[in-house]
Amino acid sequence: MTAKTRWCLFVLLSFAPAGVARAAEPTLIDAVWLAKIKTEGKVSYQTRFAKYQALCLRLEETDEIRADKVPGGVGTMKYVFTPHTRRERFICLNENFLRERIRTDDDRPDRPQIKLECDNGDYYFTLTKAQEDADYALIEYAPGIRKNPVANQGFGLHSEVWGHARDVFSAVENDGKFTLRRLQFDEAKKLLKVEFVPAKKDPPFAIVDSVYLDPDHDWRVVERSASTTTTTSTAQWTYGIVLEGLEFPTGFKILSDYKVANAPPNIETTIRVLSLKVTDKTPDDFRLAAFGLPEPVDVKPRPKPIPWYLWIVAAAGGCAVLAVAFAYLQRRRQARQGARPIPGGIS
């Protein structure tokens, strides 16, 4: 055996174990499922999201939220957490948004914290009151747009689910916002796991997102785990409300688990959707007058709608005009027919 042959054999044997080890590693991105989510999944998402975008601009949702401290965790921060229940109401009607929050702490059930924020096309305002049956008091008002609009704060449990779905397909399409790290079907859960990180952030600030989709139910989001170097939060959604052919969440549970000593205790939050419907509100319901307060003098008043009885009068008048016109045309047609010469008669 020549020296050159011995050297080639040495090189091959040296790299063989590493090659075998790499071949034995599981594939992080399943090519078959990647192709499916880019075709079937994307079509389903885009079709449903287009319907959702039109529908979400006229939805009204009421949720009950319960937050409790749970065992476990290593948090030692001097953080006073009070178990509490909140009820939140969200109403959206095009450019009009309303969010009302009523928080009741377990140790002060007789002192609810009530806050209502409302944005309309002309101005925004914030109200509060001491008890649910009391009158509202104005604590904030200004013309124009709020610095942090109510719409940006999330308006209902449904908005969060679609936000996670949007991030998943952003990562799958590699559009520069996220980096796809893993895409595999979880046989135990019968769900597709999609893991990704922000493309332009480095640890410890980067969030590792793991979102689970259900391919058998319109590729909807059913679970999510988000991890940083200090915290892991795990969330699950349940579904069952159908509006105009789209299925919406009925509930949500999230556990926040802190990994460092200087942190709050572990907290579990459960959300139950009490009501979700297409709103019957009008733009007038998003103004101060709807809450028994005077309209601002520095904002142009809304044009008053035409009373319904005037529409009836106008419709009746239109019908009368059409009736007269048809009668006139009928008489003219009959007159022309009477003036025609009789075939074969004396000229």
Side-chain angles (χ1 to χ4, degrees):
M1 183 181 294
T2 64
K4 183 176 182 181
T5 303
R6 287 196 301 271
W7 171 249
C8 291
L9 183 60
F10 172 78
V11 171
L12 289 173
L13 292 174
S14 298
F15 281 92
V20 171
R22 282 194 295 269
E25 291 179 356
T27 303
L28 298 183
I29 297 179
D30 188 310
V32 174
W33 277 103
L34 181 62
K36 283 185 179 181
I37 194 173
K38 282 189 171 185
T39 52
E40 299 172 25
K42 185 176 180 180
V43 170
S44 175
Y45 165 73
Q46 290 180 334
T47 302
R48 292 183 301 115
F49 187 60
K51 293 181 181 179
Y52 171 74
Q53 282 185 304
L55 182 57
C56 75
L57 294 178
R58 47 193 178 94
L59 287 181
E60 181 173 339
E61 178 176 328
T62 303
D63 300 332
E64 181 183 78
I65 304 164
R66 177 66 192 177
D68 286 293
K69 183 169 63 174
V70 294
V74 295
T76 59
M77 177 187 291
K78 292 182 179 180
Y79 174 83
V80 179
F81 171 78
T82 303
H84 61 273
T85 301
R86 299 197 312 274
R87 190 169 74 249
E88 298 197 356
R89 180 167 61 114
F90 310 87
I91 306 176
C92 175
L93 181 64
N94 299 320
E95 63 180 1
N96 305 286
F97 294 91
L98 181 150
R99 180 177 184 177
E100 182 182 40
R101 287 171 284 185
I102 303 174
R103 170 173 166 154
T104 304
D105 292 340
D106 287 9
D107 59 352
R108 290 188 174 184
D110 58 335
R111 298 187 62 180
Q113 303 165 45
I114 304 173
K115 185 178 182 181
L116 186 148
E117 299 170 285
C118 191
D119 298 349
N120 58 53
D122 298 319
Y123 59 87
Y124 63 88
F125 59 92
T126 303
L127 308 176
T128 189
K129 54 184 177 180
Q131 298 292 333
E132 291 193 55
D133 58 354
D135 293 332
Y136 280 105
L138 181 67
I139 59 174
E140 180 186 29
Y141 158 78
I145 300 175
R146 191 187 299 266
K147 185 176 181 181
N148 183 21
V150 174
N152 292 352
Q153 303 173 32
F155 48 99
L157 187 57
H158 53 86
S159 63
E160 184 176 358
V161 169
W162 285 101
H164 296 318
R166 178 199 58 216
D167 293 345
V168 165
F169 285 92
S170 175
V172 168
E173 292 298 329
N174 192 27
D175 64 1
K177 296 179 182 178
F178 299 98
T179 300
L180 184 64
R181 300 208 325 183
R182 183 186 298 266
L183 191 148
Q184 293 175 313
F185 189 77
D186 188 320
E187 290 291 347
K189 296 183 176 183
K190 301 301 180 184
L191 300 173
L192 181 64
K193 179 180 180 180
V194 184
E195 183 181 292
F196 51 93
V197 295
K200 298 180 180 179
K201 286 189 178 181
D202 298 320
F205 306 105
I207 298 176
V208 180
D209 241 316
S210 296
V211 179
Y212 291 84
L213 307 179
D214 187 348
D216 292 332
H217 292 86
D218 295 322
W219 299 79
R220 65 192 184 193
V221 174
V222 293
E223 291 186 26
R224 181 203 179 215
S225 175
S227 299
T228 66
T229 56
T230 60
T231 311
T232 296
S233 62
T234 306
Q236 294 178 314
W237 288 264
T238 55
Y239 289 80
I241 300 174
V242 178
L243 290 177
E244 299 187 6
L246 287 177
E247 194 166 11
F248 287 79
T250 58
F252 168 76
K253 181 179 287 188
I254 182 170
L255 173 64
S256 299
D257 182 5
Y258 297 93
K259 307 174 187 177
V260 293
N262 188 26
N266 290 353
I267 298 172
E268 183 178 76
T269 303
T270 303
I271 301 178
R272 184 165 60 98
V273 178
L274 302 179
S275 171
L276 177 65
K277 64 180 182 178
V278 175
T279 186
D280 57 1
K281 302 297 184 185
T282 69
D284 288 336
D285 293 309
F286 297 84
R287 306 183 76 85
L288 284 168
F291 302 94
L293 299 170
E295 283 293 298
V297 297
D298 56 344
V299 173
K300 184 179 178 180
R302 278 179 50 80
K304 293 184 178 180
I306 299 175
W308 61 269
Y309 60 83
L310 292 183
W311 286 111
I312 295 178
V313 171
C319 291
V321 171
L322 289 174
V324 171
F326 283 131
Y328 172 74
L329 293 174
Q330 179 68 11
R331 286 196 299 271
R332 287 196 61 185
R333 186 173 64 83
Q334 293 174 348
R336 285 198 303 270
Q337 290 177 347
R340 291 176 183 173
I342 300 175
I346 301 173
S347 59

